[in-house]
Amino acid sequence: MAEQALSGWKKWLEGSGDQVIFLKGFFRNMFRGGFEWSEFVRQCYEIGYKSFTLVGVTAFIMGLVLALQLRPTLVSFGAESMLPRTLAISIIREIGPVITALICAGKIASGIGAELGSMKVTEQIDAMDVSGANPMQYLVVTRILATTFMVPLLTLLGDVIGLAGGFLAININGKVTLMLYYSKCIDSIGFSDLLPAFIKTIFFGFVIGFIGCYKGYNSNKGTESVGISANSAVVAASLWIFVIDAIVVQVSNIIIY
Amino acid sequence: MEDKETIEELKQPSSKKKEVVIHIKGLKKAFGEKEVLKNINLDVHRGENVVILGKSGTGKSVTIECIAGMLAPDEGEVKVFGDEVAGMTEKQLKELRTKIGFLFQSGALYDSMTVRENLEFPLKRVLKVRDQAEIDSRIEEALDGVGLMDAIEKMPSELSGGMRKRLGLARTLIVKPEIMLYDEPTTGLDPVTSREISQLILKMQKKYKTTSIIITHDMECAEITADRVVVMNDGEYIAEGSFEDIKRSKDEFVRSFF
């Protein structure tokens, strides 16, 4: 039993060490000349544009359901007019970034993990490496930077669409104009709401790309490993999203309030 | 018969022994408890085609992976162009790899790229060629050499096994490497395509004047391509000579290949 626990810890420590080395490799290759712009743009398209529909639909439903759930409680306190403000703060500060990041972890981290995993299994990464090309720069740097850049943008769009879902929910039971609804939402959001939310989406994007690339790039040989890489990328990225969320909320509360 | 004459013609000039470009001495490599390479000694001369024959899992691929710097030896020395591979910095290794072509058993084609993009990749990223006209002419030359000109805009998934091997060969040779390492180039192909690939290897070797190590257990491939054959068993070389010498060997293990 103790031996098993010890071997588990050893494995965990080795894995952490590998991740640190991989992270170092990412930063070293990011600042090396010959940045792969065309691949970066292609990845932004694949990661950002192709995830937009999924993020948009989910955000709209999330805003709608949130408004429908909140309304009865606020009505019972006679605070129905607070609904746009409550919706805006909860979507901008917490629900928008976290739900968008979790969707991206499911779609993007697994996609990157599976893609790089299958490239590893079919020796494509080895072929790049042994030819003298730089697979870290071509495959890893571009994907991590693309997720770091696109997840905040997707979150921003998701927030706006989520608020639109809330607008629809409010109008099912009452009548509010779009201008009034959005002006109330915007009035209630301050710099202290936007900045921490924006900063955490950058970290979310980075961790989604990093975990996806790390799991795929270090995949074992064999087709089974591709599935394992994709699966473990989603699990690890989702877990990291919650850890980062907790840390950013704590740190921003200390700094801002 | 005609094929045989062409092969003999192509093999003729290689018989002259020149400088040693690959020098392996006392090479040992183990994975955990399993000792894969026990004591490998091999010199490969410029322009020579050396075929390493052996059963699967005897360490043939590990040998060429040590030459390309993909694996570090546990003991012994592997020198390429006189430099120890294990002691190289990342930059030196990258430089060396621009002179080495490695043809993987699977072909290792980039499956998200077209045939053209597969060939453009090493030109742009390894040789840093920027002139599009030069890139196009080199791609045409490479595809023409392997008879794949019609497939230039196809995806690798649309190619047959033989075509994939040809493309892999073209992609490796497009950077004009001085050394070619072939990892079972005819595995998984029918006898006719295998013969075509073996003849193509020989033709390309003469055209680009490369030094080659060919890992195989395909006897016809060995007969067509080899200037010298090395037979490997259980992590050691047990016989060495021309294909005809090996064919005449009295060793039971060597004879089992024929």
Side-chain angles (χ1 to χ4, degrees):
Chain A
M1 188 74 179
E3 221 171 76
Q4 256 184 340
L6 199 70
S7 122
W9 269 104
K10 201 179 153 200
K11 227 176 170 180
W12 184 83
L13 279 172
E14 278 173 1
S16 304
D18 281 348
Q19 288 189 32
V20 172
I21 293 167
F22 195 73
L23 187 67
K24 194 178 140 201
F26 161 75
F27 282 113
R28 207 179 52 209
N29 282 289
M30 189 171 76
F31 296 111
R32 193 175 270 179
F35 184 73
E36 298 278 353
W37 283 105
S38 59
E39 180 62 10
F40 170 70
V41 172
R42 194 178 77 84
Q43 286 305 322
C44 285
Y45 171 78
E46 292 288 331
I47 288 163
Y49 182 75
K50 290 194 174 174
S51 305
F52 174 69
T53 312
L54 182 65
V55 169
V57 170
T58 317
F60 186 82
I61 296 169
M62 182 189 68
L64 184 103
V65 171
L66 190 66
L68 289 174
Q69 295 272 31
L70 275 170
R71 194 175 173 278
T73 314
L74 290 174
V75 167
S76 68
F77 284 104
E80 197 183 352
S81 61
M82 295 287 283
L83 191 52
R85 174 190 287 257
T86 316
L87 269 178
I89 289 176
S90 50
I91 287 177
I92 302 285
R93 282 173 71 159
E94 186 61 27
I95 296 170
V98 172
I99 297 287
T100 306
L102 287 175
I103 291 166
C104 290
K107 186 178 184 294
I108 300 166
S110 66
I112 294 174
E115 187 190 9
L116 296 194
S118 68
M119 286 184 81
K120 181 82 177 180
V121 169
T122 54
E123 295 174 316
Q124 292 176 53
I125 293 178
D126 289 338
M128 277 185 196
D129 200 20
V130 83
S131 73
N134 188 338
M136 272 297 273
Q137 199 167 33
Y138 182 74
L139 299 171
V140 175
V141 172
T142 52
R143 279 162 177 78
I144 295 178
L145 288 182
T147 53
T148 309
F149 188 64
M150 293 316 288
V151 169
L153 277 180
L154 284 169
T155 306
L156 191 71
L157 288 165
D159 287 350
V160 174
I161 295 169
L163 289 174
F167 173 71
L168 179 72
I170 289 172
N171 276 279
I172 289 171
N173 299 301
K175 202 176 175 194
V176 179
T177 64
L178 188 66
M179 280 299 284
L180 178 66
Y181 174 74
Y182 269 101
S183 69
K184 278 203 164 195
C185 287
I186 292 164
D187 275 351
S188 58
I189 301 161
F191 184 71
S192 60
D193 301 310
L194 283 172
L195 188 68
F198 180 72
I199 288 172
K200 73 182 171 190
T201 59
I202 295 172
F203 284 113
F204 289 163
F206 180 82
V207 89
I208 287 166
F210 178 78
I211 301 274
C213 287
Y214 173 76
K215 296 287 181 185
Y217 203 89
N218 292 291
S219 181
N220 292 324
K221 297 275 162 102
T223 44
E224 195 193 3
S225 308
V226 178
I228 293 171
S229 299
N231 186 264
S232 57
V234 178
V235 174
S238 304
L239 198 67
W240 270 105
I241 285 164
F242 289 115
V243 172
I244 290 167
D245 190 36
I247 294 170
V248 172
V249 168
Q250 276 300 319
V251 171
S252 61
N253 280 352
I254 292 166
I255 295 170
I256 296 168
Y257 303 108
Chain B
M1 189 65 195
E2 214 173 84
D3 273 355
K4 192 90 182 165
E5 278 169 10
T6 319
I7 292 161
E8 288 309 318
E9 217 171 83
L10 283 167
K11 287 173 87 168
Q12 215 63 49
S14 289
S15 54
K16 286 183 210 162
K17 294 281 185 290
K18 293 173 187 170
E19 63 164 309
V20 173
V21 289
I22 300 170
H23 170 73
I24 302 175
K25 194 178 171 193
L27 176 63
K28 288 183 185 177
K29 180 75 190 170
F31 295 100
E33 296 290 299
K34 188 171 164 53
E35 215 177 344
V36 179
L37 300 179
K38 289 176 181 166
N39 181 25
I40 300 293
N41 298 289
L42 178 72
D43 280 342
V44 183
H45 301 86
R46 189 175 286 280
E48 193 182 18
N49 263 4
V50 173
V51 166
I52 302 178
L53 267 181
K55 286 196 300 181
S56 298
T58 49
K60 305 187 299 291
S61 300
V62 175
T63 310
I64 56 171
E65 283 173 12
C66 287
I67 295 169
M70 295 161 78
L71 291 173
D74 294 338
E75 268 182 57
E77 59 183 39
V78 178
K79 286 185 176 176
V80 180
F81 301 117
D83 297 319
E84 178 76 48
V85 178
M88 285 183 179
T89 61
E90 199 183 328
K91 197 180 165 197
Q92 286 171 322
L93 194 59
K94 204 175 165 186
E95 235 165 72
L96 173 72
R97 283 172 171 176
T98 60
K99 295 178 191 166
I100 296 179
F102 197 114
L103 184 68
F104 287 83
Q105 192 178 335
S106 61
L109 303 175
Y110 308 138
D111 50 19
S112 60
M113 301 180 198
T114 63
V115 169
R116 177 193 289 279
E117 288 164 345
N118 261 279
L119 295 173
E120 267 179 0
F121 191 89
L123 288 177
K124 286 182 175 173
R125 287 163 183 92
V126 180
L127 298 186
K128 313 278 183 203
V129 182
R130 293 280 172 261
D131 179 23
Q132 194 56 45
E134 193 190 338
I135 291 173
D136 289 342
S137 95
R138 287 180 82 158
I139 289 174
E140 272 174 35
E141 185 196 337
L143 285 179
D144 204 34
V146 297
L148 274 183
M149 212 39 221
D150 295 339
I152 191 162
E153 297 304 336
K154 286 188 175 170
M155 297 299 287
S157 56
E158 297 172 81
L159 305 178
S160 67
M163 288 163 94
R164 291 171 71 88
K165 295 271 183 186
R166 284 167 186 271
L167 176 58
L169 187 59
R171 191 185 64 188
T172 315
L173 287 168
I174 202 164
V175 294
K176 300 197 166 89
E178 291 178 47
I179 296 171
M180 274 297 293
L181 305 171
Y182 298 89
D183 192 1
E184 304 197 8
T186 57
T187 298
L189 300 176
D190 62 85
V192 177
T193 315
S194 289
R195 198 175 307 126
E196 282 174 12
I197 294 291
S198 304
Q199 286 165 355
L200 189 62
I201 288 171
L202 192 61
K203 190 179 135 195
M204 291 292 117
Q205 193 242 347
K206 295 301 149 190
K207 185 177 175 187
Y208 294 102
K209 297 183 173 51
T210 54
T211 306
S212 310
I213 296 183
I214 301 151
I215 304 286
T216 189
H217 36 64
D218 173 358
M219 296 312 289
E220 195 177 20
C221 173
E223 186 177 11
I224 292 171
T225 57
D227 294 319
R228 183 156 53 110
V229 179
V230 175
V231 184
M232 195 170 177
N233 187 29
D234 202 19
E236 285 177 300
Y237 291 158
I238 56 161
E240 190 179 340
S242 68
F243 185 82
E244 291 306 317
D245 293 340
I246 295 292
K247 207 172 172 181
R248 285 193 295 269
S249 170
K250 300 249 182 323
D251 186 282
E252 205 177 309
F253 178 79
V254 177
R255 292 200 62 78
S256 67
F257 280 93
F258 294 91

